[in-house]
Amino acid sequence: MATVELRFSALPEHVRTARLVAAAVARRSGVDEAVLDEVRLAVGEACTRAVGLHQSGGISAPVRVLLIEEEKQFSIEVGDEAPHAAPGEKMPGADGGAGDPDAETEEDEMGLAVISGLVDDVEVTAGENGGLIRMSWPTTPSATLVP
């Protein structure tokens, strides 16, 4: 299992770099060419969401992206360090913040819906120490692995 780890400051201009790196590693891992645009878009959406969460929460930690090449699948994990409330629960201080918590929740849900529409195998976990979006795509074995 080969893994590429990418960490970047939570700035929107770094999302493009993450998309390009993810597409390049996905291609090398054997992800079908027809799916690479979906990989790029999903990674862009997940990274944009993480950047937004870090910026709105005043978090200076970098956004983490893991690109994991396994035998028959390629996975991408995008992690943030923003505290997340359980569904239906308000985050502490959410009603006194600069942004509208309902609008932020709606935007967050829209981003997750876009990712779910692009990726068949997606898992979202979140807690008080941050969140993680794990996306996976099947890979085609290279010609050198075929007997």
Side-chain angles (χ1 to χ4, degrees):
M1 175 171 81
T3 302
V4 174
E5 183 174 1
L6 176 65
R7 292 176 180 260
F8 62 91
S9 300
L11 298 170
E13 53 266 28
H14 296 310
V15 171
R16 181 173 189 268
T17 302
R19 290 176 58 203
L20 293 171
V21 171
V25 176
R27 179 179 285 120
R28 189 198 71 210
S29 299
V31 173
D32 190 290
E33 285 289 324
V35 181
L36 290 178
D37 280 340
E38 293 173 11
V39 171
R40 268 190 287 274
L41 289 170
V43 168
E45 222 25 78
C47 288
T48 298
R49 176 181 178 271
V51 166
L53 290 169
H54 277 222
Q55 288 184 338
S56 67
I59 298 166
S60 61
V63 172
R64 298 175 323 275
V65 181
L66 290 178
L67 310 167
I68 305 162
E69 181 181 350
E70 297 171 302
E71 188 175 332
K72 294 182 181 181
Q73 81 174 7
F74 173 70
S75 301
I76 300 176
E77 295 181 359
V78 178
D80 65 72
E81 294 191 16
H84 296 265
E89 181 182 314
K90 266 191 168 175
M91 285 302 300
D95 47 16
D100 178 5
D102 291 334
E104 288 176 13
T105 300
E106 187 175 309
E107 187 176 317
D108 188 41
E109 289 174 5
M110 180 65 83
L112 292 174
V114 169
I115 293 167
S116 295
L118 291 168
V119 185
D120 291 335
D121 186 9
V122 63
E123 179 184 337
V124 179
T125 57
E128 61 184 42
N129 296 322
L132 182 75
I133 298 175
R134 181 178 170 89
M135 306 167 278
S136 299
W137 294 267
T139 57
T140 306
S142 66
T144 59
L145 298 178
V146 177

